Amino acid sequence: MDVGFGEEQEEIRKALRDALDKHGDSAAVRAAAESADGYDTRVWRRLCDQTGLPGLGIPERYGGVGLGFTEVAIACEEMGRALYPSPFLATCVRAATALLRSGDAEACERHVPGIAAGTLRAALAGPTGEVTAVPSSDGGHRLTGTADHVIDGARADVILVAARLGGAPALFAVDADATGLTRRQLPVLDPTRRQARLAFTATPARLVGTPGAAALLDRIREFTEIAVAAECVGGAARCLDMTVDYVKLRRQFGRQIGSFQAVKHRCADMYVQLETARSALHHTLRTAAAAESSGPGAEELRVMAPLAMTTATDTYRWIAEETIQLHGGIGFTWEHDAHLHLKRATTSALLFGPRTAQRERIAASAGI
């Protein structure tokens, strides 16, 4: 399905791909993943200055580019293709979406301009987790509990926390230096995406928006699922490209192995699966655009967002496995990029809980 990308959107894709091809090759990705910040701050600064990357989906009044979520998804797809480690998913998708949709003008003025400029790193803890909030004597709130697997949580400048306030969900902002906050980097399979465990002990927090934020948290989750689906489509496409290039060059029995029918069939199957995931993503982007402009797509989006993510993560993992197999001996070495893609595909599928929970949400939303 063609989502109808326009000339400007394709220019964004080309600019990002050119920049990431130049500054985000395999060696750069591995070095960035092992750095203190988990990404190359100089490359991130260059991308911010040259492409306006962090502000793509942020309104101009906050210093952003003022485009829509389709452009954000294009950026996610290109970064997924390059396996580029960056604060984009945690900060510019999850945290920015939470702030902009909270209806809290003060919180937006405080944090969103820094996100748009690429100078503020944010994280979102939730909506899963065990954090509770109680009012404090100073007019604010105090948080207690833990949140696991918070993307970029260990080094974020501000943390948005989904907590329970009087039995209802609510969103809070916590500064990185707040008392009672401890952060621990978790060992993870995918070195290009860091996760942390956060513990709150009577930690001061500011309420963002109003209590009863169930609808807001649902929308954050849906847009995150679409972003992850886009990353996975980009990563799967890169795996297929690597495989096709390799089978054209590798020779066995005096022939290119890509000329063997069995290899052709496997590459064709990879392509079909990729296009299935891409079609699901494109339909979901159209549904999200309709929901934003007129509202009638909101019900369908509740089904399509997790469906696009599960389809894309399944496809990505299968294509990454096929990539390793079809690369033969070199594919089985840890130094080959196919293993980085397999790790990303495996962890992406579990970012927001068990896969069965996602499928149960799809079934419930579809009335099955």
Side-chain angles (χ1 to χ4, degrees):
M1 176 180 292
D2 183 5
V3 75
F5 294 135
E7 182 178 348
E8 183 180 13
Q9 292 166 330
E10 292 299 341
E11 288 178 355
I12 292 171
R13 183 188 300 280
K14 183 179 184 305
L16 281 173
R17 182 169 298 190
D18 289 346
L20 291 171
D21 284 347
K22 182 177 181 181
H23 302 292
D25 60 10
S26 177
V29 166
R30 293 170 188 269
E34 294 174 359
S35 67
D37 289 300
Y39 67 101
D40 190 321
T41 55
R42 292 173 300 177
V43 173
W44 174 248
R45 186 70 261 154
R46 189 176 292 113
L47 288 172
C48 294
D49 295 338
Q50 294 179 356
T51 67
L53 175 62
L56 284 179
I58 293 176
E60 294 181 34
R61 66 179 179 275
Y62 296 120
V65 182
L67 300 177
F69 194 74
T70 297
E71 289 78 13
V72 173
I74 289 172
C76 289
E77 186 176 344
E78 290 305 311
M79 285 187 284
R81 176 181 177 274
L83 283 177
Y84 174 64
S86 80
F88 192 80
L89 180 66
T91 301
C92 307
V93 176
R94 286 171 62 76
T97 298
L99 289 165
L100 291 171
R101 295 176 180 280
S102 68
D104 191 323
E106 180 182 352
C108 288
E109 291 289 350
R110 183 195 296 260
H111 302 300
V112 176
I115 293 176
T119 57
L120 184 141
R121 189 171 180 176
L124 175 66
T128 59
E130 298 180 356
V131 182
T132 57
V134 295
S136 57
S137 58
D138 58 5
H141 292 81
R142 301 277 173 168
L143 304 185
T144 300
T146 59
D148 273 326
H149 302 290
V150 180
I151 302 171
D152 288 350
R155 299 185 71 85
D157 303 307
V158 63
I159 303 161
L160 301 176
V161 185
R164 306 293 297 184
L165 176 62
L171 189 67
F172 297 88
V174 175
D175 294 329
D177 58 355
T179 59
L181 170 64
T182 58
R183 304 191 280 181
R184 182 167 69 86
Q185 195 78 44
L186 293 174
V188 290
L189 178 67
D190 176 16
T192 66
R193 177 171 284 151
R194 295 190 176 180
Q195 300 179 38
R197 172 174 294 154
L198 309 185
F200 304 91
T201 305
T203 304
R206 300 179 298 276
L207 180 66
V208 176
T210 58
L216 170 63
L217 297 177
D218 285 345
R219 185 51 57 91
I220 296 167
R221 179 169 54 189
E222 290 161 3
F223 276 72
T224 305
E225 288 169 337
I226 299 171
V228 172
E231 283 187 348
C232 290
V233 167
R238 176 60 181 148
C239 285
L240 178 57
D241 289 345
M242 288 193 301
T243 303
V244 171
D245 289 342
Y246 179 76
V247 300
K248 287 179 180 178
L249 295 175
R250 178 75 170 94
R251 298 182 69 85
Q252 189 67 36
F253 306 112
R255 295 171 56 183
Q256 296 171 334
I257 64 172
S259 66
F260 297 124
Q261 190 174 43
V263 175
K264 289 180 181 179
H265 285 175
R266 292 177 75 169
C267 289
D269 288 343
M270 293 167 71
Y271 176 77
V272 170
Q273 292 299 317
L274 172 60
E275 288 304 302
T276 300
R278 181 175 280 132
S279 294
L281 171 63
H282 287 185
H283 180 76
T284 305
L285 287 173
R286 294 179 66 172
T287 303
E292 290 295 284
S293 61
S294 57
E299 291 294 327
E300 185 179 359
L301 190 61
R302 275 193 278 273
V303 176
M304 285 307 306
L307 182 60
M309 179 173 167
T310 54
T311 302
T313 53
D314 283 349
T315 296
Y316 189 14
R317 167 136 192 183
W318 181 77
I319 288 179
E321 290 173 347
E322 286 292 283
T323 298
I324 291 173
Q325 292 287 330
L326 289 171
H327 275 78
I330 66 169
F332 282 84
T333 61
W334 286 113
E335 292 77 14
H336 198 277
D337 286 352
H339 284 280
L340 290 178
H341 282 283
L342 180 60
K343 290 176 180 180
R344 171 64 72 85
T346 301
T347 57
S348 292
L350 302 172
L351 276 178
F352 311 115
R355 301 169 64 72
T356 53
Q358 276 191 315
R359 290 188 166 92
E360 288 172 359
R361 278 180 50 224
I362 295 170
S365 298
I368 300 174

